[in-house]
Amino acid sequence: MAVPWVSDLTLLAAILATLLPLCSFLVVMLFTRSHPRISAGLSIGAMSVSLLCALFLLNEHWHMEKPLEYAGRWLVSGSIEIPFGFLLDPVSLLMLAVVAVIGFLIQIYSLGYMAGDPGISRYYAFMSLFLWAMMSLVVAPTLFQLYIFWELVGLSSYLLIGFWYEKFSASQAGKKAFIMTRAGDVAMFLGMLLILLHLGNLSILEIDSPALAARMSPRLLTLSALLIFGGIIGKSAQFPLMTWLPDAMQGPTPVSALLHSSTMVAAGVYLFERLFPFFFFSPDAMTFGLFIGTLSMLLASTMALVTRDIKEIWAYSTISQLGYMIMGLDAGAFFSGAFHLTTHAAFKALLFLCSGVLIHTFETNDIYELGRKGGRSLKVPMACCCIAAGALAGLPPLSGFFSKGLILEGLADLSNPVWLIAALFGAFLTAYYAFRPIFIILFPREASGEPEVHSATSTSKDHSAGHSSSHYWLMGWPLILLAGATLCLGFLKAPLEHFMGQTALPGVKGIGHPVWLLYTEIILAVGGVGLAWMEFGRRCAQQVGFVEKIPALHRLFAERWYLDHFYGWFVDRVIDRGVSALFTQNDHRVIDGSIDGISRGTVETGRLISHMHLGMVQYRLLAMFVVMVLLAFYFFF
Amino acid sequence: MTLYTCLFYVLAVAIVTTTGIAITQRNLVHAVIYLVFSFFGSALLFYLLGAPLLAALEVIVYAGAIMVLFLFIIMMVKMESIEERMPPLGQWLPAVLCGILYLALGAVVVYTAPGSEFPLQTAMATPVELGKYLFQRHWLSIEIVSLLLLVAIIGALHLGKRKETGGTEEP
Amino acid sequence: MRIVPFGHVLLLAGLLFVMGAFCAVTRRNLVMIVLGVEIMLNAAGIAFVGSALRWGQLEGQACVFFILAVAATEVAVGLAMIVFAYRKTGSFDPAGYNQLK
């Protein structure tokens, strides 16, 4: 680089923003593991500087003309040169800011949530690693660098999901997350190789340019797009690989918040955004993505209807919201996906953090339990939770309403109305399942009645009083900030759209604004909330959802459409009995057999040779003679 | 065709014939006797090729000492009575094949190599010349060879010392 | 005075050598094996003397001298070993010496 990097403020900020979390990870892991306070301080300090840098970058380049790319050579192998650097354009800058903000707030929140945990240093170290990986992923200029950090994100989420590794289910969940996302990553890697073969490098800007489409035949393009989409499916927990995400709840709640809002699962959607033009060149891949997104959205929504675990509800909602984003992107509405990703990051983090406070206080995940123990007494978290759920449901003044509306508009532009109908139905379900836990917690129905509730409230007050109030407020402030963000983000639609639209991406359609769609959305959202109110909120409601009245459906949803069973069956039958039996056979027959064969052959040859020379001098003489003659031939000819 | 040429061919035929009989004889004593004649022929050949000292040594060492040693051994262990087995086919067939190959190769090499047509002229290296040459130029080798002989004597004595006769004398 | 072309001497030596080798390789008698080796050494000696005359150098004859010495040594040790082996096994058949097997 000709420009000294110190004098280039943009580059300096980018380097600081991405590298500081790594530094804090290393320092914490190497030096301050035994000092939780210092570790947390370091980690938060590094993160706040990163945050400032990210915001500075966003501010500095608000009116950017074209993407900035900084690259240094990292590895040269033959004709393939792998650069390392930064790609700063609206997509990455926005995402960087989102990651930094959410990460920072969650780290602050964790101070309260994780207080007293013996592994707090480790926690902050992994957190830093996670954020570093995610932020570097966001600014990666090449697919290769992106892939490296993509895997690092997977690794650190594995570490964090299995953070309480002494809990069997936690370590199992960590492994599950790791392995299932890996399945997608294999596909993604193959897709990358395909692109590399045809393009010669993996620069994201070049992949996004139409040149690639000209170089690859449409079929290959579709194939590579589908393969890369496989990686997105794994990371963003879409249809076939979705079951790891609900299990990932075993980690600490702030981790879930981070995982669900802005880092791990968002990485998949982010990759889609990043390569949006590339996907856009392949209509088949787009349709496939639309299908997968719709399917996951609906499946996850139905699963969320029945579960009693509050974190699991939000996890399913994450899957379905990611499905929405992918639908929006696949419909060609680039900005809608990106915008929904941003707003979703805010309200989903908020939802998780609120439920984190509830769980932390009452030490249960069950929504009925939470209600019974007096969840409504925690005013701030409940209020924030309501705001976030409203955003999730898509109620008008909140951010989710705007972003979801954009997606619906994008879908409305498609010729096939099936997608739009599915999305609208999903919106209805979303509103229903978002408010179901809220009403259950707010209006606990126990056989007894008001007095019981009062006593529960009083006990919970004792409980929270016993809990130090400083911790409570450490957790409270991020909630309030995020709630503010949830409220306001929707009104930033226009400037953000302007910002994102600056580097005009090919294929972004002009989005029409049918008014009836807006009303339909509002009506459906309100209808969903109303249904939830009817069933759970009313004074005389039995708190039994309509799904639970149909046992077959209920079981189907509660068992996650038997996906886990299918995987279990698949692993058991096909892999254990089929493939590994084949391998066992291979071991026995081919490998053991060939080794036995070699040893037997050696013995036989030895016997043969021992026959041949019986320890007899003369045969050796004969052999010498023969060899001599042959050597003579060799030398003379 | 000079007298020497005739002499060479006569000697060559004699050597080859006696050697051929020697190696095919079942009777060991006869074989050794034929071989003694073969070595006499070789000695004459040496003389013809201008090496009188070597001719004398050939007679003394090969035909005299070595062959007599063989005879001693054969008689000592009463080997005449021992019936020798015929070698198996797998043993002599490769030997014959390789022998023929070797001879063919040798003939080809000898007749294609330049200088093999070079006619040998009679010349004589007197024993004095050869002796001086040996002891001036190769005195170290002579010493080593004598040492080798000494070691051989000791080894042979050691091997044959057990019971009865040692059975070895040294030329 | 001319004798013969050098090649003829070499051919004679080669023929003798093959005969010796054949004897050493096929005869199932230890004494004949040693005898065969002697024939081969003698053949080598003939070749050396012939080449000494061919190039007019004494080096070849010196070599024959050493070959004689080595042959004598070999016979002395070889025959002693044969006697030794005969005392062990009571046979001269090389196929009988298979204790290593």
Side-chain angles (χ1 to χ4, degrees):
Chain A
M1 269 165 279
V3 187
W5 58 275
V6 183
S7 65
D8 190 341
L9 265 179
T10 306
L11 187 58
L12 182 63
I15 289 174
L16 277 180
T18 51
L19 228 53
L20 276 173
L22 173 66
C23 295
S24 75
F25 164 69
L26 291 177
V27 171
V28 168
M29 275 318 252
L30 290 177
F31 303 115
T32 65
R33 282 194 73 166
S34 48
H35 304 88
R37 280 172 169 281
I38 302 175
S39 309
L42 267 174
S43 183
I44 291 175
M47 200 56 222
S48 54
V49 177
S50 290
L51 172 66
L52 288 179
C53 290
L55 290 178
F56 165 78
L57 285 173
L58 189 64
N59 183 43
E60 191 83 345
H61 298 282
W62 189 252
H63 300 289
M64 76 177 357
E65 300 289 315
K66 61 180 176 57
L68 284 171
E69 194 174 6
Y70 299 92
R73 180 188 294 174
W74 180 63
L75 189 81
V76 181
S77 158
S79 59
I80 298 168
E81 191 172 308
I82 297 172
F84 233 63
F86 302 99
L87 171 65
L88 303 177
D89 64 350
V91 181
S92 63
L93 283 177
L94 181 62
M95 192 67 195
L96 191 67
V98 169
V99 174
V101 170
I102 306 269
F104 177 70
L105 289 177
I106 287 175
Q107 285 206 331
I108 299 277
Y109 175 90
S110 305
L111 271 182
Y113 190 85
M114 298 300 287
D117 194 284
I120 194 159
S121 289
R122 192 160 52 93
Y123 174 81
Y124 271 101
F126 290 163
M127 221 44 174
S128 297
L129 180 70
F130 201 1
L131 286 165
W132 167 65
M134 188 63 199
M135 290 172 92
S136 307
L137 184 151
V138 167
V139 295
T142 66
L143 211 48
F144 183 77
Q145 185 180 346
L146 193 145
Y147 185 73
I148 291 176
F149 289 108
W150 176 276
E151 294 294 352
L152 269 176
V153 168
L155 167 75
S156 39
S157 67
Y158 160 74
L159 292 173
L160 282 172
I161 291 169
F163 177 72
W164 286 315
Y165 54 84
E166 61 274 17
K167 233 165 79 186
F168 179 70
S169 59
S171 61
Q172 286 301 96
K175 274 186 227 161
K176 189 174 179 184
F178 197 66
I179 290 167
M180 287 192 105
T181 51
R182 206 54 62 251
D185 293 349
V186 172
M188 175 175 167
F189 192 71
L190 291 177
M192 271 170 56
L193 286 183
L194 212 54
I195 293 179
L196 183 65
L197 280 180
H198 286 268
L199 193 65
N201 65 43
L202 287 171
S203 162
I204 285 173
L205 288 179
E206 282 189 50
I207 291 173
D208 283 349
S209 70
L212 181 69
R215 281 216 209 156
M216 287 170 86
S217 69
R219 276 188 170 182
L220 273 179
L221 195 69
T222 306
L223 181 62
S224 57
L226 285 180
L227 284 171
I228 290 185
F229 191 69
I232 296 172
I233 286 176
K235 205 58 136 191
S236 289
Q238 293 302 294
F239 161 57
L241 302 176
M242 66 210 292
T243 57
W244 68 266
L245 194 55
D247 289 5
M249 294 300 103
Q250 296 295 339
T253 308
V255 171
S256 310
L258 192 58
L259 204 75
H260 283 259
S261 59
S262 60
T263 49
M264 176 81 175
V265 295
V269 178
Y270 176 74
L271 176 65
F272 202 119
E273 269 179 43
R274 192 83 273 203
L275 299 179
F276 180 72
F278 166 70
F279 283 107
F280 198 76
F281 294 135
S282 159
D284 292 342
M286 291 291 259
T287 313
F288 178 73
L290 199 55
F291 173 69
I292 290 288
T294 313
L295 198 60
S296 345
M297 188 270 290
L298 287 177
L299 283 183
S301 310
T302 55
M303 291 177 198
L305 293 180
V306 292
T307 179
R308 292 165 66 108
D309 184 326
I310 185 162
K311 280 171 83 179
E312 246 175 58
I313 295 175
W314 304 141
Y316 290 128
S317 82
T318 304
I319 299 177
S320 84
Q321 295 309 303
L322 290 167
Y324 264 120
M325 293 171 210
I326 288 184
M327 284 168 81
L329 289 169
D330 272 317
F334 172 70
F335 177 66
S336 70
F339 188 48
H340 196 50
L341 184 60
T342 312
T343 56
H344 173 258
F347 68 71
K348 189 46 64 67
L350 182 54
L351 275 175
F352 270 108
L353 295 184
C354 293
S355 13
V357 176
L358 292 173
I359 293 167
H360 194 68
T361 313
F362 300 114
E363 286 165 353
T364 174
N365 279 7
D366 189 289
I367 41 176
Y368 290 95
E369 280 284 305
L370 282 175
R372 223 171 291 139
K373 287 189 175 175
R376 61 192 297 185
S377 61
L378 297 174
K379 297 270 175 337
V380 176
M382 276 323 288
C384 294
C385 200
C386 289
I387 293 173
L392 177 62
L395 290 178
L398 303 167
S399 60
F401 166 71
F402 295 98
S403 54
K404 205 177 278 180
L406 274 178
I407 290 177
L408 291 173
E409 281 165 14
L411 289 167
D413 285 342
L414 293 177
S415 53
N416 194 339
V418 172
W419 311 118
L420 181 62
I421 294 167
L424 287 172
F425 181 57
F428 173 72
L429 288 180
T430 308
Y432 176 74
Y433 72 67
F435 275 91
R436 175 171 157 266
I438 303 272
F439 288 141
I440 288 176
I441 295 174
L442 278 181
F443 309 109
R445 283 290 180 289
E446 206 48 39
S448 40
E450 289 299 310
E452 181 95 2
V453 176
H454 272 294
S455 68
T457 315
S458 57
T459 51
S460 75
K461 265 184 183 145
D462 296 344
H463 191 89
S464 56
H467 204 267
S468 98
S469 63
S470 70
H471 283 169
Y472 181 75
W473 282 108
L474 267 177
M475 294 195 260
W477 276 114
L479 297 187
I480 292 166
L481 284 174
L482 278 171
T486 308
L487 280 169
C488 308
L489 260 177
F491 301 103
L492 291 175
K493 187 179 97 174
L496 273 178
E497 192 166 8
H498 174 67
F499 174 58
M500 300 291 271
Q502 273 165 352
T503 55
L505 289 151
V508 180
K509 295 178 186 173
I511 296 167
H513 296 266
V515 181
W516 60 268
L517 196 64
L518 212 62
Y519 292 125
T520 323
E521 191 197 348
I522 296 171
I523 290 167
L524 280 171
V526 173
V529 177
L531 186 60
W533 166 256
M534 288 288 287
E535 285 181 341
F536 301 103
R538 278 188 308 149
R539 192 156 284 268
C540 53
Q542 303 120 326
Q543 298 215 322
V544 178
F546 67 94
V547 183
E548 282 155 55
K549 290 172 186 152
I550 312 167
L553 216 55
H554 179 246
R555 268 192 59 202
L556 180 66
F557 294 165
E559 295 287 343
R560 304 181 185 169
W561 290 78
Y562 293 100
L563 270 177
D564 270 344
H565 288 271
F566 172 72
Y567 289 137
W569 174 86
F570 182 78
V571 168
D572 190 43
R573 286 292 159 83
V574 180
I575 304 215
D576 262 20
R577 304 222 184 128
V579 180
S580 72
L582 213 66
F583 286 153
T584 315
Q585 287 288 317
N586 180 51
D587 272 7
H588 280 306
R589 296 267 166 83
V590 180
I591 297 180
D592 288 4
S594 62
I595 287 174
D596 283 356
I598 288 173
S599 67
R600 218 171 294 133
T602 315
V603 170
E604 285 302 317
T605 322
R607 199 162 294 151
L608 201 75
I609 291 173
S610 81
H611 268 301
M612 217 175 91
H613 64 163
L614 292 172
M616 183 166 137
V617 219
Q618 236 174 347
Y619 285 116
R620 291 176 203 168
L621 271 178
L622 182 60
M624 276 163 71
F625 183 53
V626 171
V627 168
M628 192 190 72
V629 172
L630 294 180
L631 273 179
F633 268 87
Y634 174 74
F635 279 126
F636 285 110
F637 298 109
Chain B
M1 191 79 151
T2 63
L3 176 65
Y4 293 115
T5 315
C6 283
L7 208 55
F8 176 84
Y9 286 123
V10 170
L11 282 175
V13 169
I15 292 169
V16 170
T17 320
T18 47
T19 312
I21 295 170
I23 63 170
T24 50
Q25 269 292 332
R26 306 297 295 275
N27 190 322
L28 286 179
V29 178
H30 290 187
V32 170
I33 298 297
Y34 277 112
L35 213 55
V36 168
F37 280 106
S38 161
F39 285 143
F40 275 132
S42 299
L44 286 175
L45 197 62
F46 283 1
Y47 202 90
L48 180 65
L49 295 177
L53 180 62
L54 289 181
L57 281 178
E58 177 92 0
V59 171
I60 295 167
V61 176
Y62 263 118
I66 296 179
M67 287 303 120
V68 170
L69 200 56
F70 271 103
L71 280 179
F72 272 155
I73 297 295
I74 290 164
M75 287 169 178
M76 190 178 80
V77 296
K78 303 192 177 57
M79 210 176 277
E80 307 92 333
S81 56
I82 294 169
E83 193 61 29
E84 190 187 332
R85 288 197 302 152
M86 278 301 289
L89 185 74
Q91 195 175 345
W92 64 263
L93 196 66
V96 169
L97 284 179
C98 282
I100 292 170
L101 271 178
Y102 183 77
L103 276 181
L105 176 69
V108 170
V109 168
V110 162
Y111 280 102
T112 54
S116 66
E117 287 305 312
F118 183 84
L120 293 176
Q121 302 289 338
T122 48
M124 188 61 77
T126 59
V128 177
E129 275 178 76
L130 182 60
K132 277 186 177 167
Y133 181 80
L134 272 177
F135 283 91
Q136 279 168 356
R137 297 285 299 273
H138 295 289
W139 56 270
L140 187 60
S141 307
I142 297 280
E143 290 304 318
I144 293 171
V145 162
S146 58
L147 202 63
L148 182 70
L149 282 169
L150 183 68
V151 171
I153 291 168
I154 295 169
L157 280 175
H158 177 74
L159 280 175
K161 199 176 67 182
R162 301 269 177 73
K163 298 172 198 166
E164 305 150 22
T165 51
T168 47
E169 293 138 42
E170 217 32 55
Chain C
M1 292 282 273
R2 289 180 57 217
I3 311 174
V4 280
F6 177 52
H8 291 201
V9 181
L10 284 186
L11 269 185
L12 175 66
L15 192 58
L16 274 180
F17 187 87
V18 171
M19 281 171 147
F22 184 78
C23 177
V25 165
T26 57
R27 294 299 296 268
R28 304 208 72 161
N29 190 319
L30 287 175
V31 176
M32 288 308 282
I33 293 174
V34 179
L35 217 59
V37 174
E38 292 303 312
I39 297 171
M40 289 197 282
L41 284 170
N42 188 41
I46 290 174
F48 267 118
V49 172
S51 12
L53 189 62
R54 158 80 172 75
W55 278 282
Q57 294 266 330
L58 279 178
E59 208 71 30
Q61 296 195 7
C63 276
V64 178
F65 184 81
F66 294 123
I67 288 175
L68 276 175
V70 171
T73 317
E74 176 247 322
V75 165
V77 179
L79 288 179
M81 282 169 78
I82 288 173
V83 172
F84 185 73
Y86 180 72
R87 282 190 197 139
K88 287 249 170 193
T89 66
S91 157
F92 283 108
D93 193 339
Y97 301 107
N98 53 7
Q99 283 175 354
L100 271 178
K101 181 172 154 189

